[in-house]
Amino acid sequence: MTTTTPATVIQIADSVVAEINAGDFSKKNLSAQRLYVPNFDLEDMKELRVTVVPREVEYLPLDRVSNKFHATIDVAIQKKFSKGDAKEIDPLVFFVEELADYFRLKRLNSFVAARCVKVENAVLYSTEHWTQFNQFTSLLTLTFELAK
């Protein structure tokens, strides 16, 4: 039986999961997980969900034998709310900011070749999820770079 090394983007996504789960953030007892297609029932959203999704890979020529590799990883932060007031939502927005600050220019502990070169929070909260599901959904996009 042969063992194979997972694709680089999967190794990076798994490392992001490990960093979030081991991190000292305002939200405790996190259990981030890697999925390809996050699909939860509303009942499951009562607890904070942090989902890591490998989204995109870009290969740019670095020299004649290697590439600059960009892996884009989405981190979804989701939780069903009852009122949607500042007292309930502000801590979630702060947590998203904590994650953004943590990963900015970070080298991953279990995959040190990859460094986070870009952090985006283009969806601070999804108005669609807010109005349809009473759910806070924020999307953090991390871009990691390495030579390969």
Side-chain angles (χ1 to χ4, degrees), residues 84-129:
D85 58 10
K87 181 180 177 186
E88 198 173 10
I89 302 301
D90 287 357
L92 296 171
V93 174
F94 178 74
F95 175 61
V96 172
E97 185 176 293
E98 273 184 300
L99 288 176
D101 289 344
Y102 178 82
F103 282 105
R104 191 179 66 80
L105 297 176
K106 169 99 174 123
R107 286 202 181 271
L108 295 167
N109 293 327
S110 59
F111 199 83
V112 293
R115 183 173 67 108
C116 188
V117 294
K118 184 177 180 184
V119 178
E120 255 185 299
N121 189 204
V123 180
L124 182 60
Y125 62 92
S126 165
T127 54
E128 183 179 317
H129 285 193

Side-chain angles (χ1 to χ4, degrees), residues 39-133:
N39 187 15
F40 303 111
D41 291 331
L42 275 178
E43 201 56 35
D44 296 334
M45 302 312 290
K46 289 180 180 176
E47 299 298 319
L48 178 67
R49 294 259 178 201
V50 179
T51 310
V52 176
V53 179
R55 187 180 71 177
E56 184 177 88
V57 177
E58 182 179 25
Y59 298 91
L60 303 166
L62 186 60
D63 56 37
R64 288 198 274 176
V65 294
S66 59
N67 290 307
K68 188 185 296 186
F69 179 91
H70 284 173
T72 304
I73 308 293
D74 283 338
V75 179
I77 296 89
Q78 300 176 287
K79 187 174 190 317
K80 186 166 176 47
F81 58 78
S82 55
K83 294 180 183 175
D85 58 10
K87 181 180 177 186
E88 198 173 10
I89 302 301
D90 287 357
L92 296 171
V93 174
F94 178 74
F95 175 61
V96 172
E97 185 176 293
E98 273 184 300
L99 288 176
D101 289 344
Y102 178 82
F103 282 105
R104 191 179 66 80
L105 297 176
K106 169 99 174 123
R107 286 202 181 271
L108 295 167
N109 293 327
S110 59
F111 199 83
V112 293
R115 183 173 67 108
C116 188
V117 294
K118 184 177 180 184
V119 178
E120 255 185 299
N121 189 204
V123 180
L124 182 60
Y125 62 92
S126 165
T127 54
E128 183 179 317
H129 285 193
W130 189 285
T131 56
Q132 287 182 2
F133 309 123

